[in-house]
Every structure is written in C-alpha cells, then in structure tokens.
Amino acid sequence: ELRAECPEELQPAVFDQLFPLVVWMRIEEFQRVSLKMISEALLVQTPTYAGLRSLPLTIPGEVQGQNLVFAKQVVLWASPANQGARRMANELAASFPGVAVDNASEMPERATHMLLYLCEESWSDDRLAEQVKQVREARLPIVMAHENDTERGGVPFSRFFETTPQELIAAGLYRDLAIACFSGLHRQV
C-alpha cells in the first residue's frame, strides 16, 4: 500500500533496505521510540557506525530502561473468559516487579485489579460481561489493554463500541483510557 504511493525509482531504496517501517503515534513515549528507530537507521549508514545493525540509543527521561515498580504488590485478575488476558498479564508481570497474575474463573479475593484485554476475541464469552459488572460493583479497578498488533488479534478501538454490551458502555466502561499495546519496539513502552 505505502510502496504504491512511492515513486517507482525510489522504492528499492526506501523499501528494500531491511529497515523497519517506523510508525508515528500521537503519544509522546511512542514518539520517542519512533525517533530512536529513525535515528538508528540514519546513524548505521554513516562511516562511524557502518557495519553495525543496531545502536543502544537512549533519550533522557524516557520510560524505557527505567526500573518501574509499584509501592504495593499488584494482583491482576486475568479472567479465562477474556481471551488473551492471561498472556498479556504474564507479559506485564514479566516487565514489572511486584505484579502477580491470578487466572481464577471467578473474581479472586486477593485481586487488586482486573485486566480487561481488548482484542478481536473480546466479548466472545458472555461470562466476561457479567464479570466486568461484578468487578465494577466491587469497585475493583479495571486496567484496560487495547491490542493493536494484528498478529495478536488487534483491532481498531471503534470495534469495541459494536461488540461490548451496551449496558457496560452506557455505564461508562470506556471513560477511562485503555493502554495501547503495539508490536515491535513500541510494545516495550
């Protein structure tokens, strides 16, 4: 699609050099990742860095590389009724010390948060809507992770306004922002 929009004589130089396609996003932390990817692609073409495939670039103040921890242990409930939630919860637990995952079929007493993983398969199990209602009634915080990687079932957020039970939408489920989960280097943010 992008290749077709590029002048034919420039296509090999732009698309056949094995550089990653750099996506620009509206959130500052993701923009920093994109800037590092662009900078790295340019620098490895200079005589100083010729022959290198990657560089350990950092930007002062960036989130990546910082050891972020929670003040108290976090227990994420990843319901089996929420397809992919367990994998995402385990990914988060591997990235953040002090995060534990509970995969119980019903809301565990020890849970401090529910992970609502939003992907193509979200809301395919009717139990999920009932569990989300229960969690909201119990005032347990819900952490929403919106999958954007199509290989992991990512879909546009607008889809959830079609598939989420209207009762939950009307009750304000999506008033809080969902955390965007992208592929590649952007996923580390």
Side-chain angles (χ1 to χ4, degrees), residues 23-64:
V23 179
W24 190 258
M25 298 174 201
R26 63 183 171 85
I27 299 170
E28 184 178 351
E29 288 302 322
F30 293 120
Q31 291 174 351
R32 289 179 179 174
V33 172
S34 296
L35 284 172
K36 287 184 355 183
M37 292 171 73
I38 293 167
S39 299
E40 181 180 66
L42 290 170
L43 287 170
V44 297
Q45 298 303 309
T46 65
T48 304
Y49 300 104
L52 295 178
R53 294 187 56 116
S54 65
L55 297 170
L57 301 179
T58 58
I59 297 174
E62 71 181 331
V63 173
Q64 282 180 293

Side-chain angles (χ1 to χ4, degrees), residues 95-120:
S95 298
F96 298 101
V99 174
V101 177
D102 194 315
N103 303 323
S105 57
E106 298 296 325
M107 182 173 66
E109 282 190 34
R110 71 185 197 116
T112 59
H113 297 76
M114 177 188 198
L115 174 64
L116 180 56
Y117 182 62
L118 300 169
C119 67
E120 185 174 33

